[in-house]
Amino acid sequence: MHTGRLLLRRLLYLIVQLWGVATIAFFLVHLIPGNPAQALAGSGASAQSIHGIERQLGFDKPLPQQYVLYLWNVLHGNLGDSIFTGQTVLHDLEQRIPATVGLVTAAMLISVVIGVPLGIYVGLKRSGILSRIAFVYGMLTGALPDFWLGLVLIFVFFYLLRWAPAPLGQLDAIQSAPPHVTGLSLIDSLLAGDWVLFASALGHLVLPALTLVLVYMGNIVKMARSSMSEAMQSGYVEHARAMGLPNSVVLRYAVRNALAPVVTVIAFTYGFLLGGAVLVETIFSWGGLGQYAVQSITNSDYFAITGFVLAAALFMAVIYLVLDLVYAVLDPRIEY
Amino acid sequence: MGGTLALGQRVRNSGLLRFAIRPGPMLYGLIIVGFWLLISLLAPIIAPYSPTHPFPDAVLAPPGSRFLLGTDRDGLDILSRLMWAPRIDLGIAVASTVLALCIGVPVGGFAGYFGGKGGLQGALATAAMRIVDVSQAFPVFVFALAIVAVLGPRAGNLIVAMAFVNAPVFIWLTRSQVLAVRERAFVEAARCAGNSEVRIAFRHVLPNALAAPLTQLSVVLGFSVLLTAGLSFIGAGVQLPTPEWGLMVSEGASTMITGQWWIALFPGIALGSAVFGFALLGDGLRVYLDPVLRQQAVRAQIGGGGILHSEGADPSALPALVESLPGALPIESRVVPVPAENPDLEPEPAAAGHSAFATTGAKEPTGRASILAIRNLRVDFYGESDVHRALDGVSLNIDSSESVGVVGTTGSGKSVMARAIMGLIQPPGHVAGGSIRFAGREMIGLEDAQLQPLRAHDFGFIVANPRARLNPVLSVGAQLVNVIRAKQSSLSRKAALQHALDLLDMVSIADAARIANSLPHELSGGMCQRILIAMAISSEPKLLIADEPTAGLDVTVQMQVLDLIKGLVDRSGAALILMTRDLGIVAHYTQRVVVLREGRIVEESEVKHFFERPEADHSARLLEAAFASVGSRG
């Protein structure tokens, strides 16, 4: 009942949010100095054919009418055609989203599994070697350029040590992709039961995921550390100790309370990871959403750009929705 | 109020400059950022070659004597480009950050000043914050990318895009600061004096709200450098052949696979170091402006915090530790020497049997059995540049089944005393010396694990602000069960729950089952205090310590709570130490009064005697104040 109302409210908010982003995307396209129709028609196109495309896109209509038309189209999944791939933008996005979501989620899972316990430990024990390492790492992590770190990892693990496969996609060039189910080779090969392909996909995932983890796990470690040490200094932990509760119970109290802010940071980190994926995918030729965005920018592929922006907004909106639900469970004090 | 004011003054007195030259994040940050500023200034003089003039004969030359850091695919000297690059990177970052500040501060100020108010301005303020909310939910890099993609990849557009991306930070900070400042007394005074709203906003509110956005400046600058490089890396920023770090890394991206590492490596290090410098600087500024963090930073410098822990700390190491504090005064002038004899105290015959000060030697009172004996207890708290002695040679005997009131004003050391007895003093606090014997057993120096059974079985602890003492995310019943099982581990969960319900019954909670299922925030303060009392008495403790148990509760509830405590103590025969500011409570509920002042006991008397003929001046003043407040109340 309580959760249901929360879910409804958040879904409504999500729709408003997406409407806002779609509106911004619409105006972005109309801010463009060049003419999308001209770009679509190609450089050598006649005024006649440009005009035809403009009519076809509805660009000759008044702006409010275009806006309504645009929203109508977005609502029906009609995001326009990509100049570069020649496909509909929706089709392009559908093909690429799993690769990006897979990469980002893999990095996220590793960051959480390592970062949260590390941060909690360091928040508990402020001295010691591990604490020092975590402190220096926490300071450095925000300063590391992810695109550079990826290149350094490639140099060390591919060129020097030959441990990692060439940074040219999710599989080796000679391997053929598994039957398309999700679009993420790792999952698809697993579904197909092809273990050789699965091992290869896993190997290709290691370096790009590691790059993202090294750069973006810092926020999680730092937040886990500070919220844990804050919890340890709280009145309820002192009182739990005063009541003679065993250490394990005192720790459980502290960890349980320290988790809520960490969950918030995890959701924000998802957003950073999406931005990082744009750079890292380019370096590793990952073939996901990020690389698509870069391609569409280089080619002034307007509909692809707005499509990417909408997809990213949808992704983040879903993440924040999940965040709010998890937070409501973790911290029952929040009233909705 | 007084405390925060004093802290604020101390911050200003120390001075930014003196803080900055301490070895710490701020100094290192200043050095790194200063280094890159200097390099970019001197680039035309110190760069060996032109940053854009290629050497066709030396394409992809590795680092060597002619090209110290090698050349790239076009035969451009990497070192020279590296030196010219900060002009672009830092230039764009500074320009975009200033622009973001110029957008963020007025918008945030407007939203803060008019937020929640009616009319057109209030509506505009709400709308502005909604837009900020939506944009905040969007990944920053993708947001900037989209703007540059639309405007076209040029330096000017990069500045605009990043200003838009960074402005929300300043909007948020300015808004929250203005919200806090606008209700302050001096703004109210200006309003009463007939100043116009605009005048108040610009003359009084804005200057006071600017500090927070300005500290964020350095962090945003570093972030902007990273963003500039990232966007240029994928071709959405500065274009070739401009020397720019991100662009230089992208020049070396493809050759990383073929082994020419130097092209991408060096600009990446330069970029990382500059961003790191800004981050350090920002961290230093943040710490500088936050008194609490500053204290921690200074403490960390004098020994990582761990040394200061009460357990196992050698009291004799204290002077050396204090001397090592930066800018510390000689030790004599700070730590009040422990008095050989308490000058304010003139032991009074009737109470002499109970008072047992360190100076009178180890003379145990005869007659009733003493359950708690405190001798010459000293507790220190480490401040930013001084040590505050919270308890200064306190000695006290408590007999079993005796009720003792400890009175004193705020800061007199009552709570510190309560925590010292429980073994709960934690850094920055530190038990500097003395002895606490419970039933003949020395407690100072015991490990947490050794204290745990004592706390579980023999002590009861009740404190003020009960809601904050309960785990906010666990039902009070479950917490009570945990406490019971800590004392009787053999008890099953079900039996413990039954016991918990009985205890709730005992502390006069009518609807025990429903209350047990509630979370602390769903209960009133008085109800939470009853829960704490139930926890405290769950094991029939021999000593109950109640530190301001009724502070913050309304008067009728206060009496109920105190009657409850007193009744339980009387029935079980436990000793009670009741810390309070309220002399009325002492008169009603205790047999003996101990007056604490600035960490020392200034008087110790039987209750009757205390109210008839207070011995110490301070006691008389406390009594006067108490009567005056009663008089004024009606």
Side-chain angles (χ1 to χ4, degrees), chain A residues 139 158 238 241 253 257, chain B residues 280 419 448 455 469 471:
Chain A
M139 292 301 294
F158 168 68
E238 191 193 50
R241 294 194 333 127
Y253 280 19
N257 279 281
Chain B
L280 284 175
R419 279 166 179 77
D448 235 22
R455 290 176 186 149
R469 311 292 296 182
N471 183 349

Side-chain angles (χ1 to χ4, degrees), chain B residues 207-257:
Chain B
N208 283 288
L210 272 179
L214 287 179
T215 56
Q216 200 60 30
L217 211 57
S218 182
V219 175
V220 172
L221 273 171
F223 184 67
S224 302
V225 172
L226 203 55
L227 210 55
T228 307
L231 289 172
S232 301
F233 177 82
I234 54 167
V238 182
Q239 302 295 314
L240 280 173
T242 314
E244 192 280 334
W245 287 329
L247 210 51
M248 291 174 72
V249 174
S250 86
E251 278 289 279
S254 54
T255 60
M256 222 40 164
I257 304 174

Side-chain angles (χ1 to χ4, degrees), chain B residues 145-181:
Chain B
L145 186 67
I147 298 176
V148 180
V150 167
L151 297 178
R154 273 189 303 277
N157 295 339
L158 208 56
I159 293 172
V160 172
M162 289 198 305
F164 265 102
V165 168
N166 286 328
V169 177
F170 295 124
I171 294 178
W172 264 110
L173 281 170
T174 313
R175 174 175 172 271
S176 60
Q177 288 295 305
V178 168
L179 272 177
V181 172

Side-chain angles (χ1 to χ4, degrees), chain A residues 13 16-17 20-21 24 27-29 31-33 126-127 132 135-136 139-140 142-148 151-152 154-155 158-159 162 166-168 232-247 249 252-254 256-257 268 270-272 274-276 278-279 282-283 290 293-294 297-298 300 302 305 308-310 312-314 316-317 320 330-335, chain B residues 25 133-134 136-143 145-147 149-152 223 226 229-231 233-236 245-246 249-250 252-254 256-261 264-269 271-273 275-276 279-280 283 296 304 306 419 422-427 448 452 455-456 459-463 468-474 478-479 482-483 486-487 493 519 521 532 535-536:
Chain A
Y13 183 64
V16 173
Q17 219 174 355
V21 173
I24 293 170
F27 283 108
L28 279 181
V29 171
L31 268 178
I32 291 171
R126 311 210 70 159
S127 48
R132 251 161 226 279
F135 178 76
V136 173
M139 292 301 294
L140 278 175
L144 281 175
D146 39 14
F147 53 93
W148 173 78
L151 291 174
V152 172
I154 289 172
F155 177 72
F158 168 68
Y159 179 77
R162 301 264 162 210
L168 297 167
M232 286 308 286
Q233 279 159 14
S234 68
Y236 55 85
V237 163
E238 191 193 50
H239 208 77
R241 294 194 333 127
M243 292 298 104
L245 290 186
N247 240 333
V249 178
R252 210 166 63 212
Y253 280 19
R256 180 69 170 68
N257 279 281
F268 276 107
Y270 244 119
F272 288 128
L274 197 60
V278 174
L279 294 164
T282 307
I283 296 167
V294 174
I297 286 163
T298 345
S300 300
Y302 300 113
I305 295 170
F308 166 72
V309 169
L310 282 175
L314 180 65
M316 285 317 295
Y320 285 123
L330 278 178
D331 193 341
R333 280 168 298 180
I334 305 285
E335 298 276 341
Chain B
D133 276 349
V134 171
Q136 282 286 80
F138 207 66
V140 172
F141 187 79
V142 176
F143 192 19
L145 186 67
I147 298 176
V150 167
L151 297 178
F223 184 67
L226 203 55
L231 289 172
F233 177 82
I234 54 167
W245 287 329
V249 174
S250 86
S254 54
M256 222 40 164
I257 304 174
T258 51
Q260 286 88 11
W261 48 271
L265 186 78
F266 296 119
I269 293 174
L271 171 62
S273 76
V275 178
F276 189 49
L280 284 175
D283 199 54
Q296 283 175 0
R419 279 166 179 77
M422 296 293 298
L424 289 172
I425 301 286
Q426 281 200 310
D448 235 22
Q452 190 207 318
R455 290 176 186 149
F459 292 150
F461 193 44
I462 306 168
V463 287
R469 311 292 296 182
L470 292 165
N471 183 349
V473 297
L474 195 61
Q479 296 187 53
N482 281 343
V483 170
K487 299 171 186 209
R493 198 154 268 280
L519 291 163
H521 76 273
L532 286 199
M535 286 180 172

